Amino acid sequence: MLGGYIVYTPQAGLFALGTSSHAYLEFDIRDTKKRKEFASSISAIRDPRTTTAGVNFVIAFRPELWRDIFPDDTPPGVAGFNNEIRGTEGFVMPSTQHDALVWLSGSAYDVVFDMARSIIHDVAGEASLGEETSSWPYRHDRDLTGFIDGSENPTLLDAPTAALLPEGVPGAAGSVLLLQKWKHKAAEWEALPIDQQERIMGRTKLNSIELENKPANSHVARTDQDEFGHIFRRNMPYGTVHNHGTMFVGFSADQKRLSRMLDSMAGLITGTRDALTRFTQPLTGSYYFVPSVESLRRLR
């Protein structure tokens, strides 16, 4: 606090790059009348400015749940992924909204595993585990299509501007998070020649150079951040050899940047569907609000 003015701090795990093991725990409250007690239990996992046993945490809540608890700390208009997105040609992005998310990341999966078990145990009486996914990096910065993921990502110096709500507004130093699990149609994708894969992506596979004449239905064209606004992504591969894909983890200071990108991918803005969606299938979809450190402390 400076001169009576609170300076809000983002959760450190949001920007903790370089971790090799991740777990995403999505919870559903057993009794909605006890939502504040549950939120308090989740927020008490640790001091969110630091790590515990080498594990970083990001704690987030369904926007409506957080608004019920702290209406003065929630950005207006932010909502959960409450309805599926129906795009062109029968394409659907499902809604699988849960009440809370704990995202763990660390340098080794054993400590992530142990901390995840501890968290699930500690809140078992208040919430059930609705979805659990583990993930890990592939070839440093590539996803399981073989392409570099995050070429458009801002640097860590610029990421807070893209990801965090500014000081002086409800939810300051918080972020809107879009979490989706996308299953890859690996056999179909890998059967394509590389030049066709590049046209679908809109980038070269080796060096991730944007194509000068990229097709209008390419992934880069349909998610152009210069058009929709910049976000900060922490995507990771997940799954097994036979069943795998990408965890999309996108943070934004404005939910509209995320929602309009999804609409664009589904073909709802120009009528042109993202060609990559023919080779990836969305399995889940949730929006969460990531409160500041100071906001989490108010629950204790």
Side-chain angles (χ1 to χ4, degrees):
M1 182 178 290
L2 299 175
Y5 179 73
I6 297 176
V7 178
Y8 290 92
T9 310
Q11 294 186 43
L14 199 157
F15 302 109
L17 301 182
T19 48
S20 59
S21 297
H22 299 250
Y24 311 87
L25 309 177
E26 298 181 81
F27 293 96
D28 296 307
I29 297 177
R30 297 186 186 278
D31 183 353
T32 57
K33 294 179 182 179
K34 297 181 179 180
R35 54 186 175 270
K36 188 170 184 179
E37 290 84 347
F38 164 72
S40 179
S41 295
I42 285 286
S43 70
I45 292 171
R46 63 175 185 105
D47 182 336
R49 292 182 305 170
T50 61
T51 61
T52 299
V55 178
N56 298 289
F57 289 73
V58 171
I59 300 166
F61 299 93
R62 182 181 190 142
E64 293 87 351
L65 185 150
W66 188 253
R67 183 176 289 112
D68 285 344
I69 299 172
F70 293 125
D72 62 337
D73 191 55
T74 309
V78 176
F81 202 129
N82 300 320
N83 299 292
E84 65 183 14
I85 298 174
R86 290 193 165 272
T88 61
E89 305 170 87
F91 176 68
V92 175
M93 292 186 189
S95 161
T96 59
Q97 183 69 53
H98 298 281
D99 290 320
L101 165 72
V102 179
W103 166 33
L104 304 88
S105 62
S107 59
Y109 189 66
D110 56 349
V111 291
V112 171
F113 179 86
D114 285 341
M115 288 305 302
R117 288 189 71 188
S118 175
I119 292 166
I120 294 168
H121 176 269
D122 289 348
V123 302
E126 297 170 302
S128 59
L129 183 65
E131 184 82 23
E132 175 190 0
T133 306
S134 301
S135 66
W136 30 267
Y138 177 71
R139 297 187 180 180
H140 181 58
D141 55 3
R142 295 183 184 267
D143 65 25
L144 297 178
T145 66
F147 282 74
I148 293 174
D149 197 350
S151 297
E152 294 278 328
N153 239 11
T155 66
L156 279 180
L157 288 175
D158 296 326
T161 301
L164 302 178
L165 280 89
E167 294 291 339
V169 304
S175 186
V176 180
L177 165 61
L178 171 61
L179 185 70
Q180 287 181 300
K181 181 188 292 189
W182 288 78
K183 179 181 178 180
H184 293 187
K185 300 177 182 178
E188 296 174 37
W189 175 257
E190 291 166 0
L192 299 175
I194 290 178
D195 63 335
Q196 189 172 345
Q197 292 181 3
E198 292 178 335
R199 289 195 297 273
I200 290 169
M201 283 292 190
R203 290 186 177 278
T204 60
K205 192 168 188 176
L206 180 61
N207 298 317
S208 197
I209 298 171
E210 188 170 328
L211 302 181
E212 289 187 12
N213 298 309
K214 57 184 177 294
N217 68 342
S218 67
H219 183 58
V220 170
R222 297 272 46 85
T223 60
D224 186 354
Q225 294 192 40
D226 290 332
E227 178 181 353
F228 299 114
H230 289 270
I231 65 173
F232 180 58
R233 292 189 296 169
R234 296 288 307 277
N235 296 1
M236 279 285 161
Y238 79 89
T240 65
V241 172
H242 294 291
N243 184 359
H244 57 255
T246 297
M247 287 297 292
F248 179 88
V249 186
F251 296 93
S252 177
D254 184 353
Q255 187 175 28
K256 290 180 181 178
R257 300 174 193 170
L258 298 163
S259 62
R260 282 183 57 80
M261 283 184 190
L262 294 187
D263 287 346
S264 176
M265 291 176 67
L268 296 177
I269 294 182
T270 65
T272 301
R273 176 180 159 192
D274 188 331
L276 186 59
T277 63
R278 303 182 189 281
F279 299 92
T280 58
Q281 177 187 358
L283 302 179
T284 68
S286 289
Y287 281 113
Y288 294 102
F289 179 64
V290 184
S292 68
V293 171
E294 290 72 18
S295 295
L296 290 178
R297 283 179 176 168
R298 291 170 64 185
L299 286 165
R300 300 183 182 179

